[in-house]
Amino acid sequence: MPSTPRYTLRNKRVWVAGHRGLVGGALVRRLQSEGCEIVVAPRESVDLRHPDQVERWMREAKPQAVFLAAARVGGIYANDTRPAEFIYDNLMIQTNVVEASRRVGVEKLMLLGSSCIYPRLAPQPIPEAALLTGALEPTNQWYAVAKIAGIKLGQAYRRQYGCDFISVMPTNLYGPGDNFDLMQSHVVPALIVKAHQAKLTQAPTMEVWGTGAVRREFLFVDDAADGMVYLMQHFSDEGIVNLGQGSDVPIRDLVELICKVVGYKGGIRFDTSRPDGTPRKMIDTSLAASLGWRARTPLQAGLEETYRWYVDNVASEKRRAVA
Ligand code: GFB
């Protein structure tokens, strides 16, 4: 049984900030069964980087609970090449939503971070206590610093104003609704696109960035959304909580699995001029487990669902655009 007091979402107005993104979309799907009223901010009129627009919208929408899933996100290349956007946009979005949430009296707010907030060479699996104990991975330090600032913001508002603001750190996420643009995306959607294209064109090889030796932990986004809803209901503390799958794989094995799911039988070429990023980041999930939550979807099943979604929604759109 969870030891923390239960917060109910039933009959509440719940704002999913970032509802068009990977995580926000999954949260909207998951919240359908919670008996709450989901509210979303129209992107055309509410730019979360502008404090006035955020506060005006929140005063009108009157959310009681907020999942802050809006963020500037991307894979290793986007992080490395657009550092200013990754630090500025994330600092602004978090600061504005946190401050406006305090002003309008939001009952509960969840900030979402990432496993890249931990030191590059953190002990594995990474416990929550590893935060701020060492140097960050250079390719995503800008994003990590912004997300660490978000954690501290939430903690400061808890201490000074008594706000029930919590922070959750998901590991690398993937699933339906992901970004499949090769220059912006994370590794799972990138490899799905590459394997699919290589299969269609019967290419002899497909290109994979880095050495393939580094390890990553992947959590299916619908599991992540389920964990977030669970923690919103069962967790209320200044400390952060990890949300992960509990196992990791070398990129080389991920490539093999994706090729199997997609049906590409050619060879793999590793482009070692591309960065590997952090050597390993598998998080310690024992805190979430002790609160009563675990991930359910095995990696292969999650990749199959993601590939189906890509074929139905992205690849078919591209074919229509060309026709
Ligand atoms: O998912 P990813 O871009 O981000 O890359 P990180 C993970 C690993 O996959 C790296 C390799 O070693 C990449 O070099 N990789 C191989 C590829 N082929 C590809 C490819 O075609 N595309 C991509 N993108 N990678 C991100 C952070 O780090 O993780 C973010 O930059 C965030 O800030 C996110 O924290 C969760 O896992 O290295």
Side-chain angles (χ1 to χ4, degrees):
M1 276 297 286
S3 54
T4 44
R6 198 182 153 90
Y7 175 77
T8 181
L9 292 166
R10 191 155 295 280
N11 298 323
K12 298 277 169 71
R13 287 173 66 75
V14 181
W15 177 25
V16 177
H19 64 286
R20 301 212 296 203
L22 173 67
V23 176
L27 277 168
V28 170
R29 289 195 290 280
R30 173 61 186 77
L31 286 167
Q32 307 290 342
S33 56
E34 284 303 315
C36 58
E37 185 188 348
I38 302 166
V39 293
V40 297
R43 188 178 274 189
E44 317 73 65
S45 54
V46 189
D47 184 332
L48 298 180
R49 293 169 300 184
H50 294 279
D52 299 348
Q53 293 183 23
V54 175
E55 190 172 336
R56 194 180 328 120
W57 186 80
M58 286 187 78
R59 288 204 182 280
E60 280 165 24
K62 300 185 175 46
Q64 291 156 294
V66 177
F67 287 90
L68 180 44
R72 167 75 57 196
V73 295
I76 194 165
Y77 180 80
N79 268 267
D80 207 18
T81 52
R82 289 161 48 209
E85 284 168 74
F86 275 79
I87 193 163
Y88 176 84
D89 289 357
N90 288 310
L91 285 172
M92 294 304 282
I93 291 168
Q94 292 165 171
T95 306
N96 296 337
V97 174
V98 165
E99 171 62 4
S101 294
R102 176 186 75 84
R103 285 177 185 244
V104 308
V106 162
E107 293 169 6
K108 189 147 189 176
L109 163 77
M110 179 181 288
L111 288 139
L112 295 177
S114 159
S115 54
C116 72
I117 56 143
Y118 293 117
R120 172 183 162 81
L121 300 177
Q124 308 286 325
I126 312 173
E128 286 86 355
L131 178 64
L132 290 172
T133 56
L136 297 166
E137 154 63 30
T139 53
N140 56 37
Q141 57 180 312
W142 324 96
Y143 178 75
V145 163
K147 288 293 176 182
I148 293 169
I151 294 169
K152 291 292 163 194
L153 204 56
Q155 291 174 343
Y157 275 61
R158 264 190 105 85
R159 279 198 194 180
Q160 187 173 345
Y161 303 124
C163 298
D164 192 357
F165 294 173
I166 58 171
S167 288
V168 172
M169 300 303 119
T171 191
N172 286 31
L173 303 175
Y174 71 99
D178 211 339
N179 181 345
F180 288 84
D181 177 330
L182 286 181
M183 289 299 123
Q184 312 296 332
S185 68
H186 290 96
V187 61
V188 168
L191 293 179
I192 285 179
V193 173
K194 287 179 179 180
H196 182 74
Q197 292 299 333
K199 180 178 81 170
L200 293 186
T201 59
Q202 297 180 340
T205 57
M206 78 176 236
E207 184 197 83
V208 175
W209 294 352
T211 60
V214 299
R215 302 177 72 96
R216 291 290 184 273
E217 177 182 8
F218 297 102
L219 178 63
F220 188 56
V221 73
D222 287 286
D223 281 12
D226 184 63
M228 288 163 196
V229 169
Y230 186 89
L231 291 171
M232 192 71 148
Q233 294 165 329
H234 295 280
F235 181 76
S236 177
D237 198 81
E238 185 179 299
I240 58 178
V241 55
N242 287 340
L243 200 61
Q245 172 73 25
S247 60
D248 65 354
V249 288
I251 295 299
R252 187 183 308 116
D253 292 6
L254 174 75
V255 178
E256 262 181 37
L257 196 53
I258 289 180
C259 288
K260 183 172 144 194
V261 165
V262 170
Y264 173 63
K265 297 190 174 66
I268 308 301
R269 194 163 30 85
F270 289 98
D271 179 356
T272 51
S273 69
R274 297 281 191 171
D276 262 341
T278 199
R280 193 177 183 198
K281 50 174 170 180
M282 185 173 103
I283 55 179
D284 183 339
T285 53
S286 50
L287 175 55
S290 73
L291 293 164
W293 187 84
R294 272 180 209 286
R296 277 192 293 254
T297 310
L299 183 56
Q300 181 164 337
L303 290 174
E304 283 165 357
E305 196 166 331
T306 309
Y307 182 51
R308 267 196 303 277
W309 188 89
Y310 168 74
V311 169
D312 292 347
N313 294 276
V314 183
S316 59
E317 283 300 314
K318 278 200 187 122
R319 270 204 311 278
R320 269 200 289 282
V322 172

